[in-house]
Every structure is written in C-alpha cells, then in structure tokens.
Amino acid sequence: MNNIKKMSRSIIFTTAMLCTLSGYSATQPDLAQLTEKLEKSNNPAVRPTPRIPVNEPWLAAHEKRQKVLDAGNFDVLLVGDSITAGWSKQPELLKKFFGDRRVMNLAHPADKTENIIWRLMNHSMTNITPKVAVVLAGTNNSNKDEFTEEQIAGGVEAIVQILRAKLPQTKILLLGIFPRGSYEQRTGIKGGLTEAVINPQWEKIDRVNRIIATFADGTNIVYLNINQAFLNENGALPISVMPDLLHPNEKGYEIWGSAMMPTLEKMTKGATK
C-alpha cells in the first residue's frame, strides 16, 4: 500500500511539472510570443497584473526604479518582493557581499508573482546588461488555497522567462522560496512563540521549490536552495533570524549573503566592475 501511495504521489508530481512547463520554451524565449501567452493564460499567477488598490504609490515606485534603470548599467539585478527589497536596508551587508558590483534592487513589498511580472514587462531594460539576476518570488502567493503550487511555480517560471527574453546575456540565479511561519505561528510571536516548525504553508512552498528546481539548466539558469541555512539545530525557523517568521533581520541577510555568494561569484566571474 505504501508503494502505491508513493507511486501516486510521483505521478501527480510529474503531471504537475508537465502542466507547469507546457507553453514555455527551453530556448531563448520570444518576448512578443511570451507576452501573449501570459496575458491569455488561465493561471492568475502568470497574468501581468498591477497592484490594486495600492496602485498609485506602487506605480510611483515603479517609475522611480525606471529612472534608475535608464541612468546606468548594473552587474546584478535583485528581483522579488519585500524579502528581497529588504537588502536596500542593509547597506553594509550589500557592500560586504557584493563589493564593487553595481546592484539594482527591483523588488517591491507585498508583490505576488503576477505583480512582479507586470513590472518586468513594463520596465525598459535596453540600457542595461547585468551579469546575473537573482530571483526570489512566490511566498506571497502561498497563502491558503488562493494559488496551487503548480500555479505559483508557473509564476516563478514566467519571471525567469521574461528576464531571459529581455536580457539574453544575463544569467538567472533562481532561489528556492524561503521557509516561513504560518499565520497562526506569526501571530503567536506576541504570545511568546520563538520559532516556526514546518507547517502546511511551508510544506506547500517546499513542493513549489521542487518544481522550480527543474527550470534550471545549470548554465543560463542556476537553482539554489539555501533554506537549511536559516534553520536551527531542530530544523525550525527561529525569530533570531526572521523576527516575524517571514522577513530576515540583519542576521538573516548575513546568512543569505554567505550562503548565496559562492554561487553568485562563479556566475559573475569576469563581470565589468
């Protein structure tokens, strides 16, 4: 009976990967064709969607980032949501880990994959040739049953494909979505909770990560899962690393940088300084 259950799970997982990957090319994607596919998709996690109702400040931030993109070139792009946006609040760690590399942070708090997709679609990137784009996205799509893991993985893949289409010389460092506390665990901090053990939302993220790992080819797209580095000896996520069991603090970004940089160093070797 156990073997039958394992085979069933394997069949379901394989089918999920095929469904997620269908319609996307392993070769250099054509931006016009990709745009049409995403806009017509029945997966809400891949359809380019601006943030509503916080539209005006979100668009203002988008326009401000565009001015920075227009003004100069960059070695590294950071793409994601508030977790990645938090690097901008860690200038000393940015300097420590990225050194003289020019870093552009394109992340925005609370964005889901479809919001990131909209922003990337509507950014002009003709003036930049970054060596690597670091992508971390999808945690904001993981709440409850709003999106399936296959839909979330499709959103992450769409982000990667847009970057490949717009920046053909740029390699993608695709990070596994970080572990996180559930809503109950995060609200339990006020009652003295100091760590999050694995929960249904975290398990869902792990399933997404197993799918997005298959998007990597080891050359143009490199997948890296650093999640274990955030956990304590019991395999739990402590508030000493992520105080709200979602966003890293200074110690969390230190862990992130230390775990990521050996891979990023290899990928940016020979970058113009």
Side-chain angles (χ1 to χ4, degrees):
M1 181 63 70
N2 287 337
N3 288 336
I4 293 174
K5 289 182 178 179
K6 289 179 180 178
M7 288 176 64
S8 298
R9 285 195 295 268
S10 177
I11 292 169
I12 291 170
F13 180 62
T14 302
T15 303
M17 287 195 297
L18 291 173
C19 291
T20 304
L21 294 171
S22 62
Y24 297 103
S25 173
T27 59
Q28 190 67 42
D30 177 86
L31 183 59
Q33 292 179 0
L34 178 61
T35 300
E36 183 178 4
K37 287 179 180 178
L38 297 180
E39 290 177 344
K40 293 181 177 180
S41 175
N42 60 6
N43 178 1
V46 309
R47 286 197 302 269
T49 307
R51 281 271 294 284
I52 298 172
V54 288
N55 215 335
E56 290 186 10
W58 187 80
L59 287 173
H62 174 80
E63 292 171 1
K64 183 177 180 180
R65 283 187 289 265
Q66 185 60 58
K67 291 179 180 179
V68 179
L69 286 171
D70 291 338
N73 203 355
F74 300 92
D75 300 309
V76 179
L77 292 185
L78 302 179
V79 179
D81 47 48
S82 58
I83 297 173
T84 300
W87 273 107
S88 297
K89 298 179 181 179
Q90 304 291 336
E92 292 184 4
L93 291 180
L94 272 173
K95 181 65 177 178
K96 174 181 178 178
F97 290 114
F98 293 94
D100 294 331
R101 295 184 182 90
R102 295 160 295 180
V103 179
M104 175 63 190
N105 197 330
L106 288 179
H108 193 94
D111 270 3
K112 296 178 180 179
T113 56
E114 61 269 29
N115 308 134
I116 298 170
I117 289 165
W118 188 96
R119 292 195 288 107
L120 293 177
M121 285 290 197
N122 288 277
H123 268 318
S124 172
M125 300 183 179
T126 56
N127 292 338
I128 64 172
T129 54
K131 196 72 174 178
V132 175
V134 179
V135 175
L136 174 63
T139 195
N140 291 324
N141 297 76
S142 69
N143 295 304
K144 298 183 179 179
D145 297 323
E146 184 179 4
F147 299 88
T148 67
E149 49 259 45
E150 295 81 23
Q151 289 175 324
I152 299 168
V156 175
E157 183 177 33
I159 291 169
V160 170
Q161 293 296 314
I162 294 165
L163 288 168
R164 293 188 64 226
K166 286 200 164 193
L167 301 168
Q169 298 180 14
T170 300
K171 295 181 179 180
I172 310 296
L173 177 54
L174 176 58
L175 296 178
I177 304 170
F178 291 169
R180 60 174 292 165
S182 65
Y183 173 80
E184 293 76 14
Q185 289 169 334
R186 296 184 67 207
T187 56
I189 295 173
K190 292 182 179 180
L193 189 72
T194 60
E195 63 182 26
V197 297
I198 194 162
N199 56 72
Q201 189 171 11
W202 184 343
E203 290 176 333
K204 184 177 186 178
I205 285 170
D206 283 348
R207 292 193 294 272
V208 175
N209 285 342
R210 288 197 291 272
I211 299 174
I212 69 174
T214 67
F215 303 159
D217 60 15
T219 303
N220 295 308
I221 306 169
V222 175
Y223 175 75
L224 179 65
N225 189 316
I226 63 171
N227 292 1
Q228 193 64 35
F230 294 115
L231 308 182
N232 61 25
E233 63 276 8
N234 298 319
L237 179 66
I239 61 172
S240 60
V241 172
M242 296 185 188
D244 63 352
L245 298 176
L246 176 61
H247 298 92
N249 56 12
E250 182 178 356
K251 180 179 178 181
Y253 283 99
E254 179 91 31
I255 291 170
W256 181 353
S258 297
M260 178 178 70
M261 286 313 295
T263 300
L264 193 139
E265 287 279 358
K266 293 178 182 177
M267 296 176 72
T268 58
K269 188 176 181 181
T272 302
K273 299 293 181 70

